[in-house]
Amino acid sequence: MLSTACKDAIRAMIYIAKNNKDDFISISEIAKELNLSFYFLSKILQKLVKGELLKSYRGPNGGVKLAKSAEDIRLIDIIEITDGTKFFSECILGLEKCSDNNPCPIHYMWADKRGEIQKMFESTTLKDIVEDINKLQCIKL
Amino acid sequence: MLSTACKDAIRAMIYIAKNNKDDFISISEIAKELNLSFYFLSKILQKLVKGELLKSYRGPNGGVKLAKSAEDIRLIDIIEITDGTKFFSECILGLEKCSDNNPCPIHYMWADKRGEIQKMFESTTLKDIVEDINKLQCIKL
DNA sequence: AATTAAAATGCTTTCCACAGCCTGTAAAGA
DNA sequence: TCTTTACAGGCTGTGGAAAGCATTTTAATT
């Protein structure tokens, strides 16, 4: 459902939010901690920088950090930048002409579930997740 | 979410169920009607034959037809054969160690939605869909 | 028996997400 | 100013899904 790039992006953003301070976190540190390819992660995070969820800084002690408060970054924002929003509008059977006015046989029941998933991603912020991590016992990202 | 092969399989199965009679429907007819590659569709339907959702017959007037009543074929059956069931058990962030006892930060909210989708596919049969098509105005598959 | 229709199957090709590597560029520190 | 650090971004390789092609097998019809 989510691309590998998107999953990695979410994991990285959670890691960054959890360790959010004034200084920058290096991409190589994140890649090591999350067991990801440095090169692949670099490109994903570049997208998030362009999407204004992250700020980056080059040179020694450089890295990335959140561009805004963790409570202002929703999961859907990360998904939109990495995967786009096709998933939340496309027909589950891949029919281009399918829409509310012109439904495929399973359009309505899918539109319902799809909408709930979208709401879930819209209503969850990085702050929520970090708080949950501190409350619950969660596995290492 | 669903692979192209799975989407095609569902569309084909709906078409077959809608036109279900005693005689066999040729794969080339289905491919033409649904605007699919004959070769690709052949391979998908072969899987469904092996999975015992379809019966096939070679030679003149051959083709495929449902192996059982339309009310005994659920969408989840088609999905299991073409894509497997990984989707309904895997962590949305791709973490192997994630489980109910050992959750990732968004495990529970995802497990909830995922379960609803699974129920949707489990509770929808080809008969339900064909009835809906006859009742509602649906687009061409 | 020969011909023809249609599924079964193996082989090849195409395409894209994923991943890795290398160079360019910005910034800090000596 | 030179060296080092670290993000930016281009280029290339790889695996699996999707798609196309060709041959084989089965069965009906003439």
Side-chain angles (χ1 to χ4, degrees):
Chain A
M1 202 199 106
L2 303 177
S3 69
T4 306
C6 183
K7 295 173 185 175
D8 293 350
I10 293 175
R11 290 177 62 205
M13 288 296 279
I14 294 173
Y15 180 86
I16 295 166
K18 206 176 61 175
N19 300 295
N20 199 30
K21 290 169 191 163
D22 266 355
D23 44 357
F24 292 89
I25 304 173
S26 79
I27 297 178
S28 59
E29 174 193 327
I30 302 169
K32 194 180 291 175
E33 286 296 318
L34 303 188
N35 200 27
L36 297 173
S37 149
F38 167 74
Y39 302 104
F40 193 47
L41 183 60
S42 288
K43 271 159 210 170
I44 299 166
L45 296 190
Q46 276 171 40
K47 275 192 169 184
L48 298 178
V49 170
K50 283 184 186 164
E52 299 183 339
L53 297 188
L54 288 177
K55 279 181 190 164
S56 67
Y57 199 76
R58 298 207 238 191
N61 303 315
V64 293
K65 67 177 180 185
L66 299 186
K68 43 189 170 181
S69 167
E71 65 190 319
D72 294 328
I73 300 178
R74 306 169 300 165
L75 289 184
I76 195 82
D77 300 321
I78 303 170
I79 295 169
E80 276 186 17
I81 290 171
T82 49
D83 284 357
T85 55
K86 275 179 308 179
F87 177 81
F88 301 106
S89 59
E90 274 184 349
C91 170
I92 193 173
L93 296 182
L95 300 170
E96 289 191 5
K97 295 174 187 166
C98 176
S99 69
D100 284 352
N101 297 328
N102 207 26
C104 78
I106 57 177
H107 174 79
Y108 292 115
M109 61 180 169
W110 174 241
D112 181 38
K113 300 295 173 219
R114 195 179 62 185
E116 286 184 29
I117 296 172
Q118 187 170 6
K119 269 186 209 157
M120 179 185 88
F121 288 132
E122 281 171 353
S123 62
T124 307
T125 68
L126 290 182
K127 187 186 173 198
D128 299 330
I129 293 173
V130 171
E131 281 175 359
D132 277 358
I133 290 177
N134 292 333
K135 250 183 267 174
L136 308 170
Q137 285 272 335
C138 284
I139 58 174
K140 197 164 170 288
L141 286 170
Chain B
M1 204 199 107
L2 303 177
S3 69
T4 305
C6 183
K7 294 172 184 174
D8 294 349
I10 292 174
R11 290 176 63 204
M13 288 296 280
I14 293 173
Y15 180 87
I16 296 166
K18 205 176 62 176
N19 300 295
N20 199 29
K21 289 168 192 164
D22 266 355
D23 44 357
F24 292 88
I25 304 172
S26 78
I27 296 178
S28 60
E29 175 192 327
I30 302 169
K32 193 180 292 175
E33 286 295 320
L34 303 189
N35 200 27
L36 297 174
S37 149
F38 167 74
Y39 302 105
F40 192 49
L41 182 61
S42 288
K43 273 162 206 170
I44 298 166
L45 296 190
Q46 277 169 38
K47 274 192 170 184
L48 298 179
V49 169
K50 284 184 186 164
E52 298 183 339
L53 296 188
L54 289 176
K55 279 181 192 166
S56 67
Y57 199 78
R58 298 207 237 192
N61 304 315
V64 294
K65 68 177 178 184
L66 298 186
K68 44 190 171 183
S69 167
E71 62 190 320
D72 294 327
I73 299 179
R74 305 169 300 165
L75 289 184
I76 194 83
D77 300 322
I78 302 171
I79 295 169
E80 276 186 17
I81 290 171
T82 48
D83 284 358
T85 54
K86 274 179 308 180
F87 177 81
F88 301 106
S89 58
E90 274 183 350
C91 171
I92 194 174
L93 295 181
L95 301 171
E96 290 191 6
K97 294 176 189 166
C98 176
S99 69
D100 284 352
N101 298 327
N102 208 27
C104 78
I106 57 178
H107 174 79
Y108 292 115
M109 63 180 169
W110 173 242
D112 180 40
K113 300 295 172 223
R114 194 179 63 187
E116 284 183 31
I117 297 172
Q118 187 170 8
K119 268 185 210 159
M120 179 186 91
F121 289 133
E122 281 171 353
S123 63
T124 307
T125 69
L126 289 181
K127 188 188 173 196
D128 299 330
I129 292 173
V130 171
E131 282 175 359
D132 276 359
I133 291 177
N134 292 333
K135 248 182 271 175
L136 308 169
Q137 286 271 336
C138 283
I139 58 173
K140 197 162 169 284
L141 286 170

